[in-house]
């Protein structure tokens, strides 16, 4: 069994090749740019880990991992365009460098490349893989639309369960499907595939709760972001939605005023309200709830426990980070 770190290195070496031709230069430079920005490569490595949970790693897991990583980056190109974001990981976004049209086309060609890689896998499970991928890809688009709809909705009108569902669709299902597709390659049964899918989905939700918490309460030097960045832009987060649900009428009024204005001490005032409403305590418990759900599904997978160790270690790493 390999650790996440070992598989990250292996996948990085596999993925570092050129994926696109040279002409038309603007189109393929735009597509290549997002790949040079890098990232943790969590999704493709999960596909390989899903394979190794059940059997020796097969080359097809790297084809699926490449497809998943290209799809993820395709979504980033289009998300940045929709958000009019100038930077990603402190580097210019594709549309900023190459223009909106090239960014749209670059995303389109990346999506087509996804299916080229999926078509490289062995025929006996190609249909299952493509079905699992298509389901996740559609749900990611649904989650993005829900997120954009929520941006135009007053915070107290967004139901908590709807927000959880949006996060699951936008971010978690691709993690879950990556594991499931790896399990398909490894010969995992439908029963085991469902449990590994739910493991990935719940870990993804727990991770987002933690991310929202760290944006508000984390140490900026460790987290690498300005404290309260989400608060400054009134981003709907787990913390904000729960605070609006838990706070008393006076606190609710104060929070609504802060959302409508931008005093110099806005972050500190909102954080004080969050603490008064015990949202910080709630977030820790909610993260643990989803983490526990994930581990229950992992426990139910019918393989010897030693094969699950790399996934447990990865989940612990992701959910105990400080930055």
């Amino acid at each position: 069994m390999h650790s996440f770190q070992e598989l990250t290195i292996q996948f990085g070496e596999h993925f570092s090749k050129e994926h696109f031709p040279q002409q038309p230069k603007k189109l393929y430079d735009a597509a290549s740019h997002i790949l040079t920005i890098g990232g943790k490569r969590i999704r493709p490595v999960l596909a390989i880990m899903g394979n190794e949970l059940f059997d020796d790693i097969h080359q097809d897991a790297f084809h699926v991992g490449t497809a998943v990583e290209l799809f993820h980056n395709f979504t980033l190109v289009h998300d940045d365009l929709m958000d009019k974001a100038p930077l990603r990981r402190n580097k210019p976004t594709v549309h900023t460098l190459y223009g909106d049209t090239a960014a749209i086309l670059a995303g389109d060609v990346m999506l087509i490349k996804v299916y080229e890689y999926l078509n490289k896998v062995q025929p006996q499970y190609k249909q299952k893989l493509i079905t699992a991928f298509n389901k996740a890809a559609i749900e990611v688009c649904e989650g993005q639309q829900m997120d954009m709809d929520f941006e135009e909705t007053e915070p107290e009108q967004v139901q908590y369960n709807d927000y959880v569902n949006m996060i699951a669709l936008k971010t978690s299902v691709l993690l879950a499907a990556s594991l499931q597709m790896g399990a398909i390659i490894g010969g995992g049964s439908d029963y085991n595939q469902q449990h590994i899918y739910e493991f990935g989905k719940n870990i993804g939700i727990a991770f987002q709760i933690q991310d929202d918490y760290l944006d508000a309460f984390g140490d900026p030097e460790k987290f690498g972001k300005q404290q309260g960045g989400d608060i400054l832009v009134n981003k709907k987060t787990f913390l904000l939605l729960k605070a609006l649900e838990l706070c008393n009428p006076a606190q609710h009024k104060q929070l609504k005023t802060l959302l409508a204005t931008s005093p110099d001490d806005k972050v500190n005032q909102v954080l004080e309200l969050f603490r008064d409403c015990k949202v910080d305590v709630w977030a820790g418990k909610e993260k643990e709830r989803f983490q526990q759900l994930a581990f229950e599904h992992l426990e139910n997978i019918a393989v010897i426990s030693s094969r699950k160790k790399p996934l447990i270690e990865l989940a612990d790493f992701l959910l105990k980070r400080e930055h």
Side-chain angles (χ1 to χ4, degrees), residues 204-221:
I205 297 170
F207 184 85
Q208 186 61 52
I209 294 171
Q210 174 178 262
D211 204 55
D212 288 357
Y213 174 88
L214 288 175
D215 184 271
F217 296 104
D219 183 335
E221 292 187 8

Side-chain angles (χ1 to χ4, degrees), residues 113-169:
K113 280 285 184 181
V114 166
Y115 287 97
E116 282 193 4
Y117 281 103
L118 290 175
N119 270 323
K120 292 177 184 286
V121 305
Q122 294 181 81
Q124 66 263 33
Y125 43 64
K126 184 186 294 185
Q127 191 58 51
K128 272 194 169 185
L129 287 172
I130 291 177
T131 298
F133 173 78
N134 284 348
K135 177 177 179 290
I138 290 169
E139 289 175 339
V140 169
C141 295
E142 291 171 350
Q144 174 67 6
Q145 184 61 58
M146 289 174 66
D147 193 19
M148 296 178 72
D149 291 345
F150 287 165
E151 287 182 11
E152 301 171 2
T153 306
E154 288 298 314
E156 61 264 41
Q157 294 177 345
V158 177
Q159 298 298 312
Y160 177 73
N161 287 338
D162 291 336
Y163 184 80
V164 172
N165 184 45
M166 181 274 288
I167 290 296
L169 293 173

Side-chain angles (χ1 to χ4, degrees), residues 50 63 193 288-289:
H63 293 325
Q193 287 175 38
E288 288 177 10
R289 181 170 76 88

Side-chain angles (χ1 to χ4, degrees), residues 47-273:
I48 302 169
M49 295 178 81
N51 173 176
E52 193 175 32
L53 180 63
F54 300 99
D55 199 358
D56 293 341
I57 297 172
H58 193 280
Q59 181 63 27
D60 284 347
F62 285 88
H63 293 325
V64 168
T66 300
V68 167
E69 185 65 9
L70 286 172
F71 176 76
H72 174 59
N73 280 275
F74 145 72
T75 66
L76 299 182
V77 171
H78 282 192
D79 287 0
D80 287 342
L81 183 59
M82 284 182 264
D83 295 341
K84 298 180 174 60
L87 298 173
R88 176 167 290 279
R89 303 190 190 103
N90 294 318
K91 292 185 179 180
T93 47
V94 174
H95 68 273
T96 302
L97 281 179
Y98 298 98
D100 292 1
T101 302
I104 293 168
L105 289 172
D108 293 345
V109 81
M110 290 171 78
L111 182 57
I112 295 164
K113 280 285 184 181
V114 166
Y115 287 97
E116 282 193 4
Y117 281 103
L118 290 175
N119 270 323
K120 292 177 184 286
V121 305
Q122 294 181 81
Q124 66 263 33
Y125 43 64
K126 184 186 294 185
Q127 191 58 51
K128 272 194 169 185
L129 287 172
I130 291 177
T131 298
F133 173 78
N134 284 348
K135 177 177 179 290
I138 290 169
E139 289 175 339
V140 169
C141 295
E142 291 171 350
Q144 174 67 6
Q145 184 61 58
M146 289 174 66
D147 193 19
M148 296 178 72
D149 291 345
F150 287 165
E151 287 182 11
E152 301 171 2
T153 306
E154 288 298 314
E156 61 264 41
Q157 294 177 345
V158 177
Q159 298 298 312
Y160 177 73
N161 287 338
D162 291 336
Y163 184 80
V164 172
N165 184 45
M166 181 274 288
I167 290 296
L169 293 173
K170 184 176 177 180
T171 66
S172 296
V173 297
L174 192 56
L175 298 170
S178 298
L179 284 164
Q180 181 187 4
M181 289 188 286
I184 291 170
I185 294 168
S189 66
D190 290 346
Y191 170 88
N192 285 334
Q193 287 175 38
Q194 187 58 38
H195 280 298
I196 199 169
Y197 179 95
E198 291 296 331
F199 166 77
K201 180 179 174 181
N202 285 288
I203 286 294
I205 297 170
F207 184 85
Q208 186 61 52
I209 294 171
Q210 174 178 262
D211 204 55
D212 288 357
Y213 174 88
L214 288 175
D215 184 271
F217 296 104
D219 183 335
E221 292 187 8
K222 291 182 179 178
F223 194 33
K225 291 168 73 174
Q226 174 188 14
Q227 185 180 26
D230 290 345
I231 293 171
L232 288 171
V233 297
N234 292 343
K235 183 178 178 182
K236 296 176 184 70
T237 64
F238 282 97
L239 301 178
L240 176 59
L241 295 177
K242 202 64 183 179
L244 288 166
E245 181 184 317
L246 294 176
C247 61
N248 63 39
Q251 292 167 331
H252 190 280
K253 182 179 179 181
Q254 183 185 357
L255 188 51
K256 284 286 289 179
T257 300
L258 287 167
L259 290 173
T261 58
S262 295
D264 292 341
D265 61 344
K266 177 174 180 173
V267 171
N268 288 335
Q269 285 197 57
V270 172
L271 289 180
E272 185 176 348
L273 272 171

Side-chain angles (χ1 to χ4, degrees), residues 28-40:
Y28 291 122
D29 281 356
S32 297
H33 173 71
I34 186 70
L35 303 183
T36 65
I37 293 176
K40 299 183 183 71

